[in-house]
Amino acid sequence: MPHQTEDIEIGLLLEALYQRYHYDFRHYARASIKRRLLQARSHFNMPSLTALQERVLHDPEMLPRLLAFLTVQVSEMFRDPGYFRALREQVLPHLRTYPSLKVWIAGCSAGEELYSMAILFREEGLFDRTLFYATDINPEALRAAEAGIYPLDRIRKFTENHQNSGGRSSLSDYYTADYGRAVFDKSLRANVVFSDHSLVTDAVFAEMQLISCRNVMIYFDRGLQDRAVGLFKDSLARQGFLGVGSKESLRFSKHAAAFTEFVPEEKIYRKREP
């Protein structure tokens, strides 16, 4: 009975967030969203999810604090180095033939993947002709991404990943250590557009040669996954590339036929010719 009550409360809270603030979590995987809401209830010392709903409805300053629980902000630079090595060795040779490029990092979190991509493109001589779009639904995450500041104790792992991805330089070339923080060079943001964009409710972003959306769709239900993949399909240029997370796949998507597996082991797809 308590579980049934919680499920009702979750449905009402998600509907309230959508109606009041236009953030739509209604089609996220329910087990994941339930776990995060229960963590938020405990963190804010609320007696129930209904109490949490009342607080967020009547206190707009509560919204970003709740969003921090509902949006996953865990990443690292050059996460899954094999993915970036595959981009470097197999995808970028194709992109090199374009006079200009557009790259979309969807669900950019605090910017780790964006900076990884910017460094990769700089090392391969493609940065100056590339416009990067970094999007997320969480304004706090976008602000963190735009700042490009990370705790210094994370840099060792970032550096290891960069080396394993086939990095052609030292990661230290791209940041300055300052008071226990690594501040990434603002030149890496010179060609970046940071934007609030929802894969749940927003439309096609722009015509892209590469879209990287990793470890985001794993939190969506099947219908929402199909919507996101359809959005990527419509956003990609002819024969554009799509990279997804290691635990994600297009195999069961209703849009699967629009893509070929380009580097299957790294979950990199290519849009088929029309």
Side-chain angles (χ1 to χ4, degrees):
M1 201 60 183
H3 290 298
Q4 289 180 335
T5 302
E6 279 181 352
D7 289 341
I8 293 169
E9 288 181 304
I10 288 168
L12 292 171
L13 175 51
L14 297 182
E15 185 65 32
L17 282 173
Y18 178 64
Q19 294 291 338
R20 176 73 171 83
Y21 299 108
H22 308 295
Y23 281 97
D24 195 351
F25 294 96
R26 295 173 300 174
H27 298 288
Y28 277 52
R30 187 50 64 98
S32 174
I33 210 77
K34 180 176 182 177
R35 182 174 63 253
R36 294 185 221 166
L37 284 172
L38 292 177
Q39 289 171 347
R41 184 191 69 183
S42 175
H43 176 81
F44 296 117
N45 197 28
M46 295 290 172
S48 66
L49 291 172
T50 298
L52 180 61
Q53 174 185 316
E54 183 177 6
R55 174 81 181 274
V56 78
L57 277 176
H58 295 284
D59 181 5
E61 292 184 4
M62 183 71 174
L63 177 64
R65 300 170 68 191
L66 182 58
L67 285 179
F69 284 89
L70 296 180
T71 57
V72 178
Q73 303 297 331
V74 180
S75 189
E76 59 192 36
M77 289 188 67
F78 294 93
R79 181 179 181 178
D80 302 323
Y83 173 77
F84 287 94
R85 183 179 286 275
L87 290 177
R88 187 188 301 273
E89 296 176 354
Q90 300 183 60
V91 174
L92 265 59
H94 292 274
L95 299 186
R96 203 178 299 279
T97 63
Y98 290 84
S100 63
L101 296 164
K102 289 182 179 178
V103 175
W104 180 11
I105 313 299
C108 71
S109 188
E112 292 93 338
E113 182 138 335
L114 166 67
Y115 289 102
S116 303
M117 203 70 75
I119 290 168
L120 170 63
F121 275 63
R122 178 166 286 181
E123 289 179 338
E124 297 301 321
L126 295 176
F127 181 84
D128 289 342
R129 67 171 106 157
T130 303
L131 183 60
F132 299 90
Y133 293 83
T135 67
D136 204 277
I137 64 169
N138 188 333
E140 293 295 327
L142 285 171
R143 279 191 280 272
E146 194 162 4
I149 300 172
Y150 304 100
L152 206 53
D153 59 12
R154 300 184 67 196
I155 294 298
R156 182 175 180 179
K157 181 60 175 176
F158 292 178
T159 300
E160 180 184 327
N161 287 349
H162 175 240
Q163 291 171 345
N164 290 336
S165 75
R168 300 186 188 276
S169 58
S170 170
L171 191 66
S172 62
D173 293 341
Y174 302 102
Y175 67 85
T176 302
D178 179 33
Y179 297 103
R181 307 175 306 167
V183 182
F184 276 81
D185 194 327
K186 64 181 181 181
S187 68
L188 294 172
R189 301 188 289 276
N191 300 349
V192 180
V193 175
F194 294 93
S195 179
D196 184 341
H197 183 277
S198 171
L199 298 175
V200 181
T201 56
D202 291 335
V204 172
F205 202 74
E207 190 175 67
M208 303 288 163
Q209 279 72 41
L210 169 64
I211 298 174
S212 190
C213 181
R214 302 197 301 144
N215 308 301
V216 174
M217 292 190 293
I218 194 172
Y219 299 105
F220 295 171
D221 67 16
R222 179 60 55 82
L224 187 49
Q225 288 175 1
D226 280 340
R227 186 193 194 279
V229 175
L231 192 66
F232 297 146
K233 173 178 69 73
D234 294 339
S235 298
L236 279 171
R238 207 168 139 266
Q239 292 195 296
F241 296 91
L242 170 64
V244 301
S246 59
K247 296 179 180 178
E248 298 165 335
S249 173
L250 304 191
R251 185 171 300 172
F252 303 108
S253 170
K254 69 179 184 180
H255 302 289
F259 295 89
T260 59
E261 293 184 319
F262 189 74
V263 188
E265 62 274 19
E266 297 297 342
K267 303 299 179 68
I268 297 174
Y269 299 83
R270 193 172 196 183
K271 186 177 176 180
R272 291 183 187 272
E273 289 276 14

